[in-house]
Amino acid sequence: MAEITISLPDGSQRSLAKGATATTLAESIGSRLAKAAVAAVVDGAEVDLGRPLPSGAQVAIITGDSDEGRHVLRHSTAHVMAQAVTQLFPGAKFSIGPAIVDGFYYDFELPGGRTFTESDLEAIEARMREIIKADQPFVRAEMPAADALRLFADQPYKREIIERVSSGAADNEDVSEVGSDESISVYRNTPEFVDLCRGPHVPSTGRLGHFKLMKVAGAYWRGNEKGPMLQRIYGTAWESNAALDEHLHRLEEAEKRDHRKLATELDLLSFPSQLGGGLAVWHPKGGIVRKVMEDYSRDRHINGGYQFVFTPHLANANLFRQSGHLDFYRDNMYPPMEMDNGTYYPKPMNCPMHCLIFDARQRSYRELPLRLFELGTVYRYERAGTLHGLMRIRGFTQDDSHIFCTDEQLQEEIASLLDFVMSVLRAFGFTEFTANLSTKDPLKYVGSDEAWARATDALQLALDKYGLPHKIKEGDAAFYGPKIDIDVKDAIGRTWQLSTIQCDFALPERFNLEYIGADNARHRPIMLHRALFGSLERFMGVLIENYAGAFPTWLAPVQARVLPVAEAHENYAAEVAARLHTEGFRVDVDEANDQLGKRIRAAKMEKIPYVLVVGDDDVSAATLGVNPRGGDVERGVALDDFIAGLRAEIAEQLAQGNDRPVPREAATEAPAAGFDPGVIAPATRNLAK
RNA sequence: GCCGGGUUAGCUCAGUGGUAGAGCAACCGCCUUGUAAGCGGUAGGUCAAGGGUUCAACCCCCUUACCCGGCUCCA
């Protein structure tokens, strides 16, 4: 009997009978592997387990618990969903159903413009379970486009995909559906149900089942806003029920961190509907957090060599005409106000006004780099459906900086700017960062190629020097210059885009900005835009979600609450609170009108870092019972010791902003631009536990 | 902006074509508490707003505002 030889990922080789498949191979290795297998990689290409292996092939088995394996499970589950929908809704057209992060979706068009309801999801899910129980095979077939067009005669979206692929106009989305070959591949589950697909798929539907349909939503066909709106069903699918449950649990945890929910619960801020969409008011508790954030930011900026400026919320249309915003950004600007001496707009950006400040008098190279800083409140008309709590909002305050520098300074300035940005972000508890470098869109840009190359190199060099992992986004830059965006990873692994550093060749031109160089000639400065928090609102939202509302002590709205055990201890409680207040801490007292346990519970629900219980023992000994958030109760702590510890803890938290990344080779060198990177000296840091 | 779902007390939510209810919070008492919910009482709502259908609308219909989930957008 003829044999074939295949190589495994560990370098070993196996002989199998001719015609053997990856399933045979997996079985020959072990029954557990055979059971977990969902597809295979043969000579670098993902294929079905049931495909015969060519002799000499390099083969790896894909199991369901790998990223590739889950992708196969999800994609296969999407097919099952499409079959269930076509059974339950005769005449339904189906378009695209890919695997995505954590799950899959499929887009449908129902006859008569019908839409799915939540209860439809239950019925579809039930039918899917029947299909899975029936253990239908996934049978692959390949055919010429003409045959495929006939096969999908009543599926216009499928036909469109086939036509695009066969005419060579396929995009990635299409290719994932059918592959890029001349022939079209399809997978058939039943005589009635067949779907276009590149594969691979699990051998049969019985291999699926750890899934849940999550939600229904509208989605444009091919993402085209002008095209038809389809009905999309999202689902999640995993290799086991344990993995599914874990995922659902993660979603619950994320929901508990939702900043909109916590903002209400913790009385931080709100979005009164009377204000209008996308506009927030900060309550006292949120206000104090913001104030602490702002104070810290201002201190760091002073140390970082920035100069503070203030600009109005409105400007004459001419300003935005000159800056180009009216041409490029009008759709996102609030509508104009007609005044007796012209037309005024609420500002969507601070940059034009900062340009005016630069231009207010003649500038010398000796003043550069000129770093202007403003907590500037701007208004942007975000479309109604795009608003999302603090994350996408219409009125917000940017911690906005514009730096004017010479060509020669650009490199150093960007490097020190990146240091500065990272240092401040670290103070807010973020430790993992990634960046994106967006480069020139060759079809849409202003400025010279040399300038772009120089600026892009400077950004690249700064990232390399800092050792910040980053991706290059080719052609993703705005027309006016390349940029770096910095993403942070939060406590549960989600990433948020916060800071941005952008080069701008356009505005200095439009405002005809100049400085007098050492050569006594006029030169055009380069302008850098930089937002660090992005906006205070959004940053607050990210902080709330990152800390799940439990702000570190230095940021917490109330840092300590004093609870007298009984009325007799209220005077002492007030003394303790007064002392803490004098020492500069945010403290309040909850008098003994309720049971102690109840007051402790209330304080815990408010996520206050320290609950201080004082009773008879404490009055006589000048001590406290310290109940820290997330820690154990300690009785009999001397007030002075508590104060010292609190001060040390806060200093330590702030000092995170001084830490440089450890593995960096150049960690010992001085900051590039010769400025103090903004270290806040923690006087009591040595007192840290 | 588009598709779908919502909006009832400060918060979380019940509820019915015949003009509203709970828990928590608030307030007032009693209790005087040593580490996560003591007891009793009071007050609190134009049921998002406007229009329509109806003898009668919080409930059905329409419009608007706002929110939620997506899509698109985020020079």
PDB file of all heavy atoms in Angstrom, chain A residues 127-141:
ATOM      1  N   ARG A 127     -33.001  27.007  16.516  1.00  0.00           N
ATOM      2  CA  ARG A 127     -32.855  26.293  15.257  1.00  0.00           C
ATOM      3  C   ARG A 127     -31.395  25.936  15.000  1.00  0.00           C
ATOM      4  O   ARG A 127     -31.071  24.859  14.514  1.00  0.00           O
ATOM      5  CB  ARG A 127     -33.418  27.144  14.105  1.00  0.00           C
ATOM      6  CG  ARG A 127     -33.331  26.483  12.730  1.00  0.00           C
ATOM      7  CD  ARG A 127     -34.070  25.152  12.691  1.00  0.00           C
ATOM      8  NE  ARG A 127     -35.493  25.303  12.922  1.00  0.00           N
ATOM      9  CZ  ARG A 127     -36.415  25.401  11.960  1.00  0.00           C
ATOM     10  NH1 ARG A 127     -36.055  25.352  10.707  1.00  0.00           N
ATOM     11  NH2 ARG A 127     -37.683  25.535  12.275  1.00  0.00           N
ATOM     12  N   MET A 128     -30.512  26.824  15.376  1.00  0.00           N
ATOM     13  CA  MET A 128     -29.078  26.545  15.209  1.00  0.00           C
ATOM     14  C   MET A 128     -28.675  25.311  16.013  1.00  0.00           C
ATOM     15  O   MET A 128     -27.894  24.485  15.547  1.00  0.00           O
ATOM     16  CB  MET A 128     -28.235  27.749  15.656  1.00  0.00           C
ATOM     17  CG  MET A 128     -28.301  28.938  14.703  1.00  0.00           C
ATOM     18  SD  MET A 128     -27.483  30.401  15.382  1.00  0.00           S
ATOM     19  CE  MET A 128     -25.767  29.896  15.316  1.00  0.00           C
ATOM     20  N   ARG A 129     -29.261  25.187  17.200  1.00  0.00           N
ATOM     21  CA  ARG A 129     -28.898  24.034  18.037  1.00  0.00           C
ATOM     22  C   ARG A 129     -29.406  22.738  17.386  1.00  0.00           C
ATOM     23  O   ARG A 129     -28.764  21.701  17.482  1.00  0.00           O
ATOM     24  CB  ARG A 129     -29.451  24.188  19.456  1.00  0.00           C
ATOM     25  CG  ARG A 129     -28.917  25.446  20.138  1.00  0.00           C
ATOM     26  CD  ARG A 129     -28.708  25.330  21.632  1.00  0.00           C
ATOM     27  NE  ARG A 129     -28.240  26.620  22.160  1.00  0.00           N
ATOM     28  CZ  ARG A 129     -26.954  26.989  22.224  1.00  0.00           C
ATOM     29  NH1 ARG A 129     -26.006  26.143  21.829  1.00  0.00           N
ATOM     30  NH2 ARG A 129     -26.624  28.174  22.676  1.00  0.00           N
ATOM     31  N   GLU A 130     -30.537  22.823  16.712  1.00  0.00           N
ATOM     32  CA  GLU A 130     -31.028  21.646  15.986  1.00  0.00           C
ATOM     33  C   GLU A 130     -30.070  21.272  14.864  1.00  0.00           C
ATOM     34  O   GLU A 130     -29.771  20.099  14.648  1.00  0.00           O
ATOM     35  CB  GLU A 130     -32.417  21.918  15.396  1.00  0.00           C
ATOM     36  CG  GLU A 130     -33.535  21.958  16.437  1.00  0.00           C
ATOM     37  CD  GLU A 130     -34.848  22.432  15.814  1.00  0.00           C
ATOM     38  OE1 GLU A 130     -35.047  22.235  14.597  1.00  0.00           O
ATOM     39  OE2 GLU A 130     -35.663  23.038  16.553  1.00  0.00           O
ATOM     40  N   ILE A 131     -29.602  22.300  14.149  1.00  0.00           N
ATOM     41  CA  ILE A 131     -28.693  22.047  13.027  1.00  0.00           C
ATOM     42  C   ILE A 131     -27.406  21.421  13.535  1.00  0.00           C
ATOM     43  O   ILE A 131     -26.842  20.511  12.917  1.00  0.00           O
ATOM     44  CB  ILE A 131     -28.414  23.362  12.269  1.00  0.00           C
ATOM     45  CG1 ILE A 131     -29.689  23.853  11.580  1.00  0.00           C
ATOM     46  CG2 ILE A 131     -27.264  23.188  11.278  1.00  0.00           C
ATOM     47  CD1 ILE A 131     -29.608  25.265  11.050  1.00  0.00           C
ATOM     48  N   ILE A 132     -26.950  21.911  14.682  1.00  0.00           N
ATOM     49  CA  ILE A 132     -25.714  21.377  15.268  1.00  0.00           C
ATOM     50  C   ILE A 132     -25.925  19.939  15.705  1.00  0.00           C
ATOM     51  O   ILE A 132     -25.085  19.066  15.483  1.00  0.00           O
ATOM     52  CB  ILE A 132     -25.269  22.283  16.440  1.00  0.00           C
ATOM     53  CG1 ILE A 132     -24.703  23.585  15.866  1.00  0.00           C
ATOM     54  CG2 ILE A 132     -24.258  21.569  17.327  1.00  0.00           C
ATOM     55  CD1 ILE A 132     -24.525  24.682  16.873  1.00  0.00           C
ATOM     56  N   LYS A 133     -27.098  19.689  16.274  1.00  0.00           N
ATOM     57  CA  LYS A 133     -27.409  18.343  16.735  1.00  0.00           C
ATOM     58  C   LYS A 133     -27.482  17.376  15.549  1.00  0.00           C
ATOM     59  O   LYS A 133     -27.102  16.203  15.646  1.00  0.00           O
ATOM     60  CB  LYS A 133     -28.757  18.353  17.474  1.00  0.00           C
ATOM     61  CG  LYS A 133     -28.906  17.225  18.464  1.00  0.00           C
ATOM     62  CD  LYS A 133     -30.142  17.434  19.331  1.00  0.00           C
ATOM     63  CE  LYS A 133     -30.444  16.158  20.099  1.00  0.00           C
ATOM     64  NZ  LYS A 133     -31.801  16.182  20.678  1.00  0.00           N
ATOM     65  N   ALA A 134     -27.948  17.882  14.408  1.00  0.00           N
ATOM     66  CA  ALA A 134     -28.067  17.036  13.219  1.00  0.00           C
ATOM     67  C   ALA A 134     -26.703  16.660  12.652  1.00  0.00           C
ATOM     68  O   ALA A 134     -26.612  15.805  11.774  1.00  0.00           O
ATOM     69  CB  ALA A 134     -28.902  17.754  12.159  1.00  0.00           C
ATOM     70  N   ASP A 135     -25.660  17.310  13.134  1.00  0.00           N
ATOM     71  CA  ASP A 135     -24.294  16.994  12.728  1.00  0.00           C
ATOM     72  C   ASP A 135     -24.123  16.970  11.202  1.00  0.00           C
ATOM     73  O   ASP A 135     -23.579  16.024  10.644  1.00  0.00           O
ATOM     74  CB  ASP A 135     -23.880  15.641  13.341  1.00  0.00           C
ATOM     75  CG  ASP A 135     -22.354  15.500  13.361  1.00  0.00           C
ATOM     76  OD1 ASP A 135     -21.667  16.538  13.281  1.00  0.00           O
ATOM     77  OD2 ASP A 135     -21.866  14.358  13.452  1.00  0.00           O
ATOM     78  N   GLN A 136     -24.587  18.043  10.570  1.00  0.00           N
ATOM     79  CA  GLN A 136     -24.465  18.130   9.116  1.00  0.00           C
ATOM     80  C   GLN A 136     -23.001  18.304   8.713  1.00  0.00           C
ATOM     81  O   GLN A 136     -22.280  19.065   9.342  1.00  0.00           O
ATOM     82  CB  GLN A 136     -25.234  19.349   8.591  1.00  0.00           C
ATOM     83  CG  GLN A 136     -26.710  19.336   8.910  1.00  0.00           C
ATOM     84  CD  GLN A 136     -27.307  20.703   8.611  1.00  0.00           C
ATOM     85  OE1 GLN A 136     -26.605  21.647   8.251  1.00  0.00           O
ATOM     86  NE2 GLN A 136     -28.617  20.810   8.784  1.00  0.00           N
ATOM     87  N   PRO A 137     -22.571  17.654   7.643  1.00  0.00           N
ATOM     88  CA  PRO A 137     -21.193  17.844   7.184  1.00  0.00           C
ATOM     89  C   PRO A 137     -21.031  19.201   6.491  1.00  0.00           C
ATOM     90  O   PRO A 137     -22.001  19.771   5.976  1.00  0.00           O
ATOM     91  CB  PRO A 137     -21.011  16.711   6.180  1.00  0.00           C
ATOM     92  CG  PRO A 137     -22.386  16.438   5.668  1.00  0.00           C
ATOM     93  CD  PRO A 137     -23.320  16.692   6.824  1.00  0.00           C
ATOM     94  N   PHE A 138     -19.815  19.752   6.535  1.00  0.00           N
ATOM     95  CA  PHE A 138     -19.463  20.880   5.685  1.00  0.00           C
ATOM     96  C   PHE A 138     -18.740  20.300   4.472  1.00  0.00           C
ATOM     97  O   PHE A 138     -17.617  19.805   4.600  1.00  0.00           O
ATOM     98  CB  PHE A 138     -18.504  21.825   6.417  1.00  0.00           C
ATOM     99  CG  PHE A 138     -19.183  22.796   7.329  1.00  0.00           C
ATOM    100  CD1 PHE A 138     -19.450  22.472   8.652  1.00  0.00           C
ATOM    101  CD2 PHE A 138     -19.557  24.054   6.867  1.00  0.00           C
ATOM    102  CE1 PHE A 138     -20.073  23.379   9.497  1.00  0.00           C
ATOM    103  CE2 PHE A 138     -20.178  24.970   7.710  1.00  0.00           C
ATOM    104  CZ  PHE A 138     -20.440  24.630   9.034  1.00  0.00           C
ATOM    105  N   VAL A 139     -19.412  20.317   3.323  1.00  0.00           N
ATOM    106  CA  VAL A 139     -18.825  19.703   2.129  1.00  0.00           C
ATOM    107  C   VAL A 139     -18.353  20.804   1.186  1.00  0.00           C
ATOM    108  O   VAL A 139     -19.141  21.631   0.726  1.00  0.00           O
ATOM    109  CB  VAL A 139     -19.862  18.804   1.415  1.00  0.00           C
ATOM    110  CG1 VAL A 139     -19.216  18.175   0.183  1.00  0.00           C
ATOM    111  CG2 VAL A 139     -20.377  17.749   2.373  1.00  0.00           C
ATOM    112  N   ARG A 140     -17.057  20.773   0.915  1.00  0.00           N
ATOM    113  CA  ARG A 140     -16.482  21.810   0.075  1.00  0.00           C
ATOM    114  C   ARG A 140     -16.629  21.446  -1.402  1.00  0.00           C
ATOM    115  O   ARG A 140     -16.533  20.275  -1.768  1.00  0.00           O
ATOM    116  CB  ARG A 140     -15.002  21.964   0.407  1.00  0.00           C
ATOM    117  CG  ARG A 140     -14.283  23.042  -0.401  1.00  0.00           C
ATOM    118  CD  ARG A 140     -12.780  22.994  -0.120  1.00  0.00           C
ATOM    119  NE  ARG A 140     -12.056  23.940  -0.955  1.00  0.00           N
ATOM    120  CZ  ARG A 140     -11.759  25.183  -0.564  1.00  0.00           C
ATOM    121  NH1 ARG A 140     -12.108  25.591   0.642  1.00  0.00           N
ATOM    122  NH2 ARG A 140     -11.112  25.988  -1.371  1.00  0.00           N
ATOM    123  N   ALA A 141     -16.874  22.446  -2.214  1.00  0.00           N
ATOM    124  CA  ALA A 141     -16.882  22.227  -3.651  1.00  0.00           C
ATOM    125  C   ALA A 141     -16.295  23.462  -4.317  1.00  0.00           C
ATOM    126  O   ALA A 141     -16.376  24.566  -3.770  1.00  0.00           O
ATOM    127  CB  ALA A 141     -18.306  21.988  -4.155  1.00  0.00           C
TER     128      ALA A 141
END
